[in-house]
Amino acid sequence: MNSVDTSWKKMAKSKHNKKPALLRCSPFSLVSTLAGCVFMIHLIMLYSRNYSVDLEVSSRLLTHHPIVRELERVEEENIHMPPPRKRSARAIKRKPKRPTTLVEEFLDENSQIRHLFFPDMKSAFGPSKDGNDTLNYFFPGKIWLDTEGNPIQAHGGGILYDEISKSYYWYGEYKDGPTYLSYKNGPARVRCYSSQDLWTWKNEGVVLAAEETDETHDLHKSNVLERPKVIYNSETGKYVMWMHIDDANYTKASVGVAISDTPTGPFDYLYSKSPHGFDSRDMTIFKDDDDIAYLIYSSEDNSVLHIGPLTEDYLDVKPVMKRIMVGQHREAPTIFKHQNTYYMITSGCTGWAPNEALAHAAESIMGPWETLGNPCVGGNKVFRLTTFFSQSTYVIPLPGVPGAFIFMADRWNPADLRDSRYLWLPLIVGGPADRPLEFTFGFPMWSRVSVYWHRQWRLPLGGGKNIA
Ligand code: GAL
């Protein structure tokens, strides 16, 4: 051993025997250099991967679907606060403070600019009403009519594309029935509409009805049913609906499950439960390409989102769950997938009042999830900070247009929930994320998720005609 040591020292001392450059470095700088190289290679690979995907997607979008350019046009809004009104002493006593912000104006049912947020029936749109010039155009926030000329009632909704009937089905809350802050009596809970083109919607009726007499029943009209979502199980041939089930004080905090043999119901209500033994409020379900479905729900008093796979028949959750976005207080989750990356849009927790949406991304649906930032583009600052005065509910891929989606949101009207409006807006995945992210090994660079504000817009591919 000694002889080896000595000879090594001799060699090291010899001016003719210089150590190779690497060996002359301290172990620290050696490790840092290597780490730097790996990091750079990793960054270059990720960047080139994402960048080429983006370029490929954008060029495909632009080449084949020029209307996508239209979707990405940034449209400004210029809503001003109304001038102060003269108020009687009685009005001041009743409501001492007049609205001082646009959000307060939005929430004030007597606001002078209410018509800007909740335009009346005169400006309603839909297949039964429109002349040729507005045919196939979405008008976010305006009353949307079904094929019979009635306002669509499918709040907190979601869309199922049914391969068997080659149709879209829109399920949502029918809010003429009593639910928190609605105060009306009525028998319905979940309504369904069908469409071939995502614009022309036929009322398929109530697919999950309220319980009229049994007060202990989850579906009793005094209870809350929100955010129904339906997926199809090709193994069992059943359409499975998951929903938020609650009492009027939101203390039951459970999920409910119902099934049907057809997309248009009627659905049989099975049961409610606390998934994984936890409270569950705003929720959604997501069926992945491999047919594994997941439940995502706001839990632990809305402070955390929980995510976990459903059983093979989609009727229950498996005993596997991950806590994600811990302590971030997010709700109204909606998940979609593009190029093997999962994306989520969530809202903050301010009840019916609008707040800032956030986009999140993950390589694995079970996490870790990274927050990208506010996806809203256009309008004005208040529009962007309030998700255009709405709250996320679902995202659907735009058929035939990779990277393009429809962002579905609700503009809630707490004074009259059934008059809440729908905001469908184009959502595009592409381009670098809007916030510089912290880079660590294995950490991907996400594409930006953008939801573009438009007063009116239409789908690519012939204005959405027969895209199903
Ligand atoms: C929202 C939620 C709605 C509804 C509402 C009740 O935050 O997203 O679905 O539950 O609260 O205040």
Side-chain angles (χ1 to χ4, degrees):
M1 192 59 186
N2 268 345
S3 65
V4 175
D5 280 348
T6 327
S7 60
W8 167 250
K9 274 180 201 153
K10 269 186 202 154
M11 267 169 72
K13 275 180 190 159
S14 155
K15 13 179 195 174
H16 304 292
N17 267 320
K18 278 197 178 159
K19 272 196 262 175
L22 262 180
L23 295 179
R24 267 185 279 136
C25 300
S26 71
F28 175 75
S29 51
L30 190 66
V31 170
S32 332
T33 315
L34 280 173
C37 289
V38 173
F39 178 65
M40 284 313 291
I41 293 167
H42 184 72
L43 265 190
I44 290 164
M45 276 169 61
L46 284 168
Y47 205 81
S48 57
R49 187 198 77 187
N50 276 316
Y51 203 64
S52 62
V53 166
D54 285 341
L55 284 178
E56 190 195 322
V57 169
S58 320
S59 65
R60 246 188 295 155
L61 290 176
L62 294 180
T63 323
H64 296 301
H65 308 293
I67 292 177
V68 171
R69 250 189 259 236
E70 270 300 298
L71 307 186
E72 290 182 310
R73 195 167 40 82
V74 177
E75 214 171 289
E76 304 291 340
E77 277 295 339
N78 212 1
I79 296 186
H80 290 295
M81 289 289 291
R85 267 177 301 176
K86 263 221 144 90
R87 301 166 75 220
S88 66
R90 219 171 117 230
I92 295 173
K93 205 169 161 204
R94 202 163 22 97
K95 222 177 182 188
K97 201 172 150 271
R98 70 170 204 90
T100 51
T101 65
L102 215 45
V103 177
E104 282 175 4
E105 278 300 336
F106 170 79
L107 293 172
D108 178 8
E109 56 184 296
N110 299 313
S111 165
Q112 294 170 65
I113 55 168
R114 183 114 181 122
H115 59 283
L116 299 177
F117 302 113
F118 295 96
D120 65 16
M121 196 64 173
K122 279 192 258 107
S123 65
F125 72 101
S128 50
K129 168 125 183 183
D130 283 292
N132 281 341
D133 50 340
T134 51
L135 198 66
N136 296 321
Y137 275 93
F138 299 105
F139 293 85
K142 291 188 176 175
I143 294 172
W144 193 345
L145 304 175
D146 64 17
T147 49
E148 287 159 11
N150 297 313
I152 292 175
Q153 277 252 34
H155 312 283
I159 304 276
L160 163 83
Y161 177 67
D162 181 41
E163 297 285 350
I164 300 166
S165 56
K166 301 270 178 271
S167 295
Y168 291 96
Y169 294 92
W170 177 359
Y171 302 88
E173 303 158 31
Y174 179 70
K175 284 212 172 282
D176 272 3
T179 175
Y180 187 61
L181 278 182
S182 187
Y183 304 124
K184 297 272 185 336
N185 283 321
R189 306 287 10 203
V190 180
R191 238 201 203 168
C192 173
Y193 294 82
S194 63
S195 176
Q196 301 294 310
D197 63 5
L198 289 168
W199 188 82
T200 311
W201 291 97
K202 176 173 173 280
N203 181 7
E204 298 286 353
V206 172
V207 294
L208 186 65
E211 165 60 40
E212 292 277 352
T213 47
D214 180 0
E215 287 184 15
T216 63
H217 198 287
D218 284 347
L219 301 184
H220 186 259
K221 55 188 184 177
S222 61
N223 287 331
V224 164
L225 188 161
E226 291 177 342
R227 302 187 174 273
K229 305 285 180 290
V230 175
I231 48 176
Y232 177 65
N233 190 306
S234 48
E235 288 298 310
T236 61
K238 300 281 184 198
Y239 295 83
V240 185
M241 181 187 293
W242 282 70
M243 66 211 96
H244 171 191
I245 289 290
D246 229 316
D247 52 36
N249 300 318
Y250 286 88
T251 55
K252 188 174 168 93
S254 304
V255 279
V257 185
I259 50 169
S260 168
D261 290 331
T262 64
T264 50
F267 280 77
D268 292 325
Y269 187 72
L270 299 183
Y271 70 108
S272 68
K273 74 178 297 183
S274 303
H276 313 108
F278 281 92
D279 57 304
S280 166
R281 291 190 173 84
D282 278 9
M283 45 65 67
T284 194
I285 44 174
F286 176 76
K287 183 174 160 183
D288 209 342
D289 307 329
D290 56 7
D291 282 355
I292 298 177
Y294 297 83
L295 172 71
I296 302 99
Y297 58 98
S298 299
S299 193
E300 303 176 46
D301 288 328
N302 284 348
S303 63
V304 179
L305 286 175
H306 287 184
I307 185 162
L310 302 186
T311 50
E312 276 71 26
D313 57 11
Y314 301 165
L315 301 184
D316 203 347
V317 285
K318 286 189 174 170
V320 180
M321 182 273 281
K322 278 267 164 24
R323 299 169 77 235
I324 56 172
M325 294 166 216
V326 178
Q328 291 187 37
H329 297 269
R330 307 304 298 170
E331 61 179 13
T334 172
I335 296 202
F336 55 103
K337 189 178 184 181
H338 177 58
Q339 306 268 6
N340 290 323
T341 298
Y342 297 88
Y343 295 93
M344 201 186 307
I345 300 214
T346 61
S347 77
C349 298
T350 52
W352 303 115
N355 55 53
E356 186 180 21
L358 288 177
H360 318 264
E363 281 196 321
S364 154
I365 192 165
M366 296 292 280
W369 282 85
E370 193 69 29
T371 296
L372 308 180
N374 183 340
C376 298
V377 180
N380 62 27
K381 194 173 170 204
V382 185
F383 266 59
R384 290 188 293 275
L385 290 176
T386 56
T387 321
F388 315 117
F389 297 94
S390 74
Q391 187 183 31
S392 46
T393 186
Y394 207 72
V395 171
I396 8 169
L398 214 54
V401 193
F405 298 79
I406 299 177
F407 171 70
M408 288 170 60
D410 296 285
R411 178 173 287 174
W412 297 114
N413 177 356
D416 186 6
L417 281 171
R418 82 195 139 154
D419 187 41
S420 300
R421 306 298 171 83
Y422 313 102
L423 271 82
W424 286 30
L425 290 167
L427 181 155
I428 309 287
V429 180
D434 62 342
R435 275 187 203 175
L437 300 165
E438 229 179 80
F439 297 114
T440 51
F441 293 122
F443 186 82
M445 286 179 59
W446 310 108
S447 293
R448 193 185 144 72
V449 173
S450 310
V451 176
Y452 293 88
W453 167 251
H454 291 293
R455 258 182 248 167
Q456 76 174 73
W457 68 286
R458 67 193 165 114
L459 296 173
L461 306 177
K465 266 266 162 260
N466 299 319
I467 53 177

Tab-separated table of all heavy atoms in Angstrom, residues 173 180 224 226-227 244 250 282 302 331-332 347-352 391 412, ligand 1:
chain	number	residue	atom	x	y	z
A	173	GLU	N	-76.477	21.046	-13.872
A	173	GLU	CA	-77.474	21.284	-12.813
A	173	GLU	C	-78.658	22.058	-13.391
A	173	GLU	O	-78.473	23.063	-14.069
A	173	GLU	CB	-76.856	22.139	-11.701
A	173	GLU	CG	-75.618	21.564	-11.085
A	173	GLU	CD	-74.754	22.624	-10.416
A	173	GLU	OE1	-75.295	23.628	-9.907
A	173	GLU	OE2	-73.520	22.463	-10.419
A	180	TYR	N	-78.942	25.501	-2.896
A	180	TYR	CA	-78.494	26.598	-2.053
A	180	TYR	C	-78.698	27.960	-2.717
A	180	TYR	O	-78.279	28.172	-3.846
A	180	TYR	CB	-77.018	26.384	-1.735
A	180	TYR	CG	-76.478	27.349	-0.750
A	180	TYR	CD1	-76.995	27.417	0.536
A	180	TYR	CD2	-75.463	28.214	-1.111
A	180	TYR	CE1	-76.488	28.307	1.444
A	180	TYR	CE2	-74.947	29.118	-0.203
A	180	TYR	CZ	-75.468	29.161	1.061
A	180	TYR	OH	-74.974	30.045	1.971
A	224	VAL	N	-78.426	19.691	-1.853
A	224	VAL	CA	-77.615	20.265	-2.925
A	224	VAL	C	-77.061	19.149	-3.816
A	224	VAL	O	-76.588	18.125	-3.318
A	224	VAL	CB	-76.440	21.068	-2.305
A	224	VAL	CG1	-75.351	21.352	-3.336
A	224	VAL	CG2	-76.952	22.370	-1.702
A	226	GLU	N	-74.473	19.182	-7.186
A	226	GLU	CA	-73.702	20.072	-8.054
A	226	GLU	C	-72.698	19.300	-8.905
A	226	GLU	O	-72.277	18.202	-8.561
A	226	GLU	CB	-72.947	21.107	-7.210
A	226	GLU	CG	-73.881	22.104	-6.541
A	226	GLU	CD	-73.169	23.109	-5.635
A	226	GLU	OE1	-72.025	22.862	-5.244
A	226	GLU	OE2	-73.778	24.122	-5.315
A	227	ARG	N	-72.317	19.927	-10.016
A	227	ARG	CA	-71.203	19.493	-10.875
A	227	ARG	C	-71.309	18.045	-11.368
A	227	ARG	O	-70.336	17.281	-11.279
A	227	ARG	CB	-69.869	19.729	-10.169
A	227	ARG	CG	-69.679	21.183	-9.796
A	227	ARG	CD	-68.338	21.547	-9.242
A	227	ARG	NE	-68.278	22.997	-9.076
A	227	ARG	CZ	-67.915	23.856	-10.019
A	227	ARG	NH1	-67.540	23.415	-11.184
A	227	ARG	NH2	-67.932	25.156	-9.803
A	244	HIS	N	-71.404	16.050	-6.911
A	244	HIS	CA	-71.222	16.537	-5.540
A	244	HIS	C	-72.591	16.493	-4.851
A	244	HIS	O	-73.546	17.086	-5.338
A	244	HIS	CB	-70.670	17.972	-5.596
A	244	HIS	CG	-70.634	18.680	-4.275
A	244	HIS	ND1	-70.382	20.031	-4.176
A	244	HIS	CD2	-70.809	18.257	-2.993
A	244	HIS	CE1	-70.396	20.391	-2.902
A	244	HIS	NE2	-70.674	19.344	-2.170
A	250	TYR	N	-73.965	22.596	3.210
A	250	TYR	CA	-72.687	22.090	2.698
A	250	TYR	C	-71.857	21.382	3.783
A	250	TYR	O	-70.645	21.554	3.863
A	250	TYR	CB	-71.862	23.222	2.058
A	250	TYR	CG	-72.409	23.661	0.713
A	250	TYR	CD1	-73.381	24.646	0.627
A	250	TYR	CD2	-71.969	23.078	-0.470
A	250	TYR	CE1	-73.903	25.043	-0.598
A	250	TYR	CE2	-72.475	23.471	-1.703
A	250	TYR	CZ	-73.445	24.450	-1.753
A	250	TYR	OH	-73.958	24.832	-2.969
A	282	ASP	N	-66.367	20.523	-4.394
A	282	ASP	CA	-66.264	20.600	-5.861
A	282	ASP	C	-65.447	19.414	-6.374
A	282	ASP	O	-64.418	19.056	-5.780
A	282	ASP	CB	-65.569	21.902	-6.283
A	282	ASP	CG	-66.540	23.070	-6.295
A	282	ASP	OD1	-67.675	22.907	-5.818
A	282	ASP	OD2	-66.147	24.143	-6.776
A	302	ASN	N	-61.686	22.255	1.670
A	302	ASN	CA	-61.293	22.934	0.432
A	302	ASN	C	-59.832	23.379	0.403
A	302	ASN	O	-59.446	24.159	-0.478
A	302	ASN	CB	-62.181	24.161	0.158
A	302	ASN	CG	-63.549	23.770	-0.361
A	302	ASN	OD1	-63.775	22.617	-0.728
A	302	ASN	ND2	-64.466	24.717	-0.381
A	331	GLU	N	-60.617	24.980	-6.089
A	331	GLU	CA	-61.824	24.178	-6.340
A	331	GLU	C	-62.218	24.271	-7.804
A	331	GLU	O	-61.439	24.749	-8.624
A	331	GLU	CB	-62.967	24.576	-5.390
A	331	GLU	CG	-63.417	25.986	-5.502
A	331	GLU	CD	-64.569	26.315	-4.559
A	331	GLU	OE1	-64.866	25.531	-3.652
A	331	GLU	OE2	-65.175	27.372	-4.760
A	332	ALA	N	-63.429	23.784	-8.144
A	332	ALA	CA	-63.913	23.730	-9.531
A	332	ALA	C	-62.859	23.123	-10.466
A	332	ALA	O	-62.555	23.680	-11.511
A	332	ALA	CB	-64.301	25.134	-10.007
A	347	SER	N	-60.282	26.989	-9.752
A	347	SER	CA	-60.613	28.346	-9.287
A	347	SER	C	-60.187	28.455	-7.829
A	347	SER	O	-59.874	27.449	-7.186
A	347	SER	CB	-62.120	28.590	-9.397
A	347	SER	OG	-62.790	27.934	-8.329
A	348	GLY	N	-60.232	29.676	-7.311
A	348	GLY	CA	-60.055	29.868	-5.871
A	348	GLY	C	-61.375	29.568	-5.174
A	348	GLY	O	-62.362	29.183	-5.822
A	349	CYS	N	-61.418	29.721	-3.865
A	349	CYS	CA	-62.623	29.369	-3.101
A	349	CYS	C	-63.326	30.619	-2.597
A	349	CYS	O	-63.051	31.079	-1.488
A	349	CYS	CB	-62.236	28.507	-1.898
A	349	CYS	SG	-61.475	26.952	-2.325
A	350	THR	N	-64.215	31.171	-3.421
A	350	THR	CA	-64.973	32.346	-2.972
A	350	THR	C	-66.467	32.165	-3.240
A	350	THR	O	-67.165	33.109	-3.600
A	350	THR	CB	-64.460	33.639	-3.660
A	350	THR	OG1	-64.445	33.428	-5.078
A	350	THR	CG2	-63.065	34.023	-3.196
A	351	GLY	N	-66.958	30.940	-3.102
A	351	GLY	CA	-68.393	30.681	-3.284
A	351	GLY	C	-68.828	31.010	-4.705
A	351	GLY	O	-68.167	30.658	-5.676
A	352	TRP	N	-69.945	31.733	-4.816
A	352	TRP	CA	-70.461	32.069	-6.155
A	352	TRP	C	-69.701	33.243	-6.765
A	352	TRP	O	-69.871	33.547	-7.942
A	352	TRP	CB	-71.954	32.434	-6.094
A	352	TRP	CG	-72.836	31.378	-5.507
A	352	TRP	CD1	-73.553	31.476	-4.360
A	352	TRP	CD2	-73.119	30.074	-6.038
A	352	TRP	NE1	-74.253	30.311	-4.131
A	352	TRP	CE2	-74.009	29.434	-5.152
A	352	TRP	CE3	-72.695	29.370	-7.184
A	352	TRP	CZ2	-74.489	28.137	-5.357
A	352	TRP	CZ3	-73.173	28.083	-7.389
A	352	TRP	CH2	-74.055	27.481	-6.492
A	391	GLN	N	-66.413	30.770	-13.461
A	391	GLN	CA	-65.691	29.718	-12.735
A	391	GLN	C	-65.646	28.450	-13.586
A	391	GLN	O	-66.674	28.029	-14.139
A	391	GLN	CB	-66.423	29.438	-11.414
A	391	GLN	CG	-65.693	28.491	-10.505
A	391	GLN	CD	-66.472	28.182	-9.239
A	391	GLN	OE1	-67.697	28.176	-9.258
A	391	GLN	NE2	-65.771	27.894	-8.156
A	412	TRP	N	-71.906	32.662	-12.472
A	412	TRP	CA	-72.991	32.432	-11.517
A	412	TRP	C	-73.764	33.709	-11.259
A	412	TRP	O	-73.185	34.792	-11.153
A	412	TRP	CB	-72.444	31.910	-10.191
A	412	TRP	CG	-71.750	30.571	-10.281
A	412	TRP	CD1	-70.428	30.333	-10.065
A	412	TRP	CD2	-72.343	29.311	-10.601
A	412	TRP	NE1	-70.153	28.992	-10.227
A	412	TRP	CE2	-71.314	28.342	-10.559
A	412	TRP	CE3	-73.635	28.895	-10.932
A	412	TRP	CZ2	-71.538	26.999	-10.822
A	412	TRP	CZ3	-73.858	27.546	-11.191
A	412	TRP	CH2	-72.826	26.619	-11.139
B	1	GAL	C1	-68.581	27.434	-5.362
B	1	GAL	C2	-68.648	26.093	-6.044
B	1	GAL	C3	-70.046	25.928	-6.561
B	1	GAL	C4	-70.989	26.034	-5.369
B	1	GAL	C5	-70.798	27.360	-4.656
B	1	GAL	C6	-71.667	27.475	-3.422
B	1	GAL	O1	-67.332	27.688	-4.847
B	1	GAL	O2	-67.719	26.015	-7.084
B	1	GAL	O3	-70.152	24.703	-7.220
B	1	GAL	O4	-70.714	24.998	-4.499
B	1	GAL	O5	-69.443	27.477	-4.274
B	1	GAL	O6	-71.337	28.603	-2.690
